[in-house]
Amino acid sequence: MEQRAYGSTGKQFPILSFGAQRIVDAHNCTEEQAIRIVNRAIDAGITYFDTAPSYSNGQSEERLGKAFQARRKDVHLVTKTHDRTRDGSLKLLEESLKRLQTDYVDEWRLHNVMTMEELDRCFAPGGALEALIEAKEQGIVKSLSISGHTNPRVQLEAIDRHPFDSVLVALSAADHFIYSFAHEFLPKANEKGVAIVGMKVFALGKLAPWYEKALGYTFSLPISTAIVGMESMEQLERNLSVAQSFAPMPETERVEFFKEIAHLANPEVLRWKASEWTSGQWYVRA
Ligand SMILES: NC(=O)c1ccc[n+]([C@@H]2O[C@H](COP(=O)([O-])OP(=O)(O)OC[C@H]3O[C@@H](n4cnc5c(N)ncnc54)[C@H](OP(=O)(O)O)[C@@H]3O)[C@@H](O)[C@H]2O)c1
């Protein structure tokens, strides 16, 4: 698999990374299957794993912890805090470390910062950013990050205010049509040398019928890697095979792909760009 630089961190990762939200009972993935999928991913060269304490009440973290065991040093492990306060975030981190059976995480992320008001809360005295900085100073976390999938202006503001090592943002082909991180966020983030991680590659499964093109589109963007949610061995093998034979998508093919999927650009499908998850109304920018 093609390896790319991870911003200015000096690290490199393959273009395909692992989103671990779905290796849980709620997605009909047993613990035994989860452990096998994760180990197969590592054997195939995947090194970057994304999880969060909020994924199935910690079950995603717990399973990664069990799967890594002796392989902890071979992987780049990312978890998050959805709490916007310092104290709440530090408590979440302590619990994450226990579930992940480790004493450090490679990257700790402010999870899903949707609005400027939420960003302000994270940056306020006693806010979550203080926890991130403290944990990094203590060596418990090695690098800092933020994620968002709604309004690129919020993540642009975040990288202006703080030198995050990476940012995780929504970069599916369907995201091209509204509040586009590809257009509004990537150029400036790349200029600053921030590592960019793509998500929503399959628009929560809606782009599954076009899975090769969906991966090809996102891998063709100027990003470091993309975390893809995979919940079965079959999905992992298919995505590995696309990543292993990846060649940049020509512009002509990209336009034809946009035409095929334009009908998906609505707030029922792109829920992460809706005002509320199931509101059916677009998020409105101030
Ligand atoms: N704000 C945040 O920080 C945030 C938010 C959400 C997610 N995440 C992270 O991002 C990761 C990816 O999640 P996402 O929300 O971006 O979802 P996604 O990757 O767009 O969609 C994942 C879904 O696509 C389908 N899929 C995957 N490979 C396939 C294949 N080869 N063929 C057909 N279908 C395939 C599966 O859906 P089926 O169920 O249909 O099989 C899978 O559950 C998560 O695991 C999590 O780690 C972060």
Side-chain angles (χ1 to χ4, degrees), residues 18-22 27 50-52 55 80 109-113 147-149 168 172 198-209 211 215 227-231 234-236 238-239 272:
F18 200 102
Q21 182 174 11
R22 296 157 186 275
H27 283 269
D50 175 275
T51 184
Y55 296 160
K80 314 192 185 84
R109 253 184 201 127
L110 296 173
H111 195 168
N112 192 20
V113 181
S147 75
H149 38 55
L168 168 67
S172 76
M199 66 172 151
K200 299 279 179 281
V201 176
F202 288 117
L204 300 181
K206 288 291 191 300
L207 292 177
Y211 77 96
L215 286 164
I227 51 167
V228 178
M230 297 177 264
E231 56 203 63
E234 191 196 353
Q235 288 178 357
L236 171 64
R238 280 165 69 164
N239 298 340
W272 55 97

Side-chain angles (χ1 to χ4, degrees), residues 27 107 110 126 129 134 140 236 250 256:
H27 283 269
E107 203 164 339
L110 296 173
L129 186 69
E134 274 177 49
I140 305 167
L236 171 64
E256 294 308 314

Side-chain angles (χ1 to χ4, degrees), residues 40-279:
R40 166 68 187 136
I42 302 172
D43 290 341
I46 290 179
T47 49
Y48 188 104
F49 290 82
D50 175 275
T51 184
S54 58
Y55 296 160
S56 295
N57 278 325
Q59 192 176 62
S60 163
E61 288 186 329
E62 215 173 273
R63 289 185 174 179
L64 280 187
K66 287 182 181 166
F68 291 154
Q69 297 284 331
R71 312 187 83 171
R72 173 68 188 90
K73 292 223 155 26
D74 303 335
V75 296
H76 181 92
L77 174 56
V78 189
T79 193
K80 314 192 185 84
T81 172
H82 52 270
D83 196 290
R84 302 308 185 211
T85 67
R86 172 196 174 275
D87 295 352
S89 292
L90 288 176
K91 186 163 181 297
L92 279 180
L93 180 61
E94 203 182 307
E95 292 161 1
S96 289
L97 292 172
K98 274 195 203 125
R99 284 191 292 262
L100 289 162
Q101 302 185 38
T102 185
D103 53 6
Y104 72 99
V105 293
D106 299 280
E107 203 164 339
W108 197 26
R109 253 184 201 127
L110 296 173
H111 195 168
N112 192 20
V113 181
M114 226 173 136
T115 63
M116 292 292 183
E117 185 268 331
E118 271 180 274
L119 185 69
D120 286 343
R121 275 163 55 207
C122 295
F123 276 73
L129 186 69
E130 286 182 5
L132 265 70
I133 292 169
E134 274 177 49
K136 189 175 175 190
E137 281 167 2
Q138 290 164 14
I140 305 167
V141 312
K142 307 295 176 196
S143 57
L144 304 182
S145 181
I146 180 168
S147 75
H149 38 55
T150 309
N151 179 4
R153 289 181 196 158
V154 175
Q155 277 62 43
L156 277 175
E157 177 66 20
I159 60 172
D160 267 348
R161 290 193 199 176
H162 186 81
F164 289 101
D165 298 290
S166 84
V167 184
L168 168 67
V169 292
L171 285 168
S172 76
D175 281 283
H176 148 87
F177 295 103
I178 182 161
Y179 307 145
S180 169
F181 284 90
H183 299 127
E184 295 186 34
F185 181 76
L186 292 196
K188 188 145 179 226
N190 274 319
E191 221 176 270
K192 280 185 182 273
V194 182
I196 300 155
V197 183
M199 66 172 151
K200 299 279 179 281
V201 176
F202 288 117
L204 300 181
K206 288 291 191 300
L207 292 177
W210 299 270
Y211 77 96
E212 286 167 302
K213 290 181 191 172
L215 286 164
Y217 166 83
T218 306
F219 291 154
S220 298
L221 295 170
I223 62 171
S224 297
T225 188
I227 51 167
V228 178
M230 297 177 264
E231 56 203 63
S232 68
M233 198 62 95
E234 191 196 353
Q235 288 178 357
L236 171 64
E237 295 297 350
R238 280 165 69 164
N239 298 340
L240 276 170
S241 139
V242 177
Q244 282 156 353
S245 56
F246 165 71
M249 184 179 248
E251 263 184 281
T252 47
E253 223 175 87
R254 193 178 60 196
V255 171
E256 294 308 314
F257 183 33
F258 285 155
K259 285 191 212 162
E260 284 179 60
I261 62 164
H263 64 285
L264 297 175
N266 63 68
E268 282 84 20
V269 172
L270 303 182
R271 292 175 167 195
W272 55 97
K273 283 181 173 163
S275 55
E276 302 283 342
W277 197 248
T278 54
S279 66

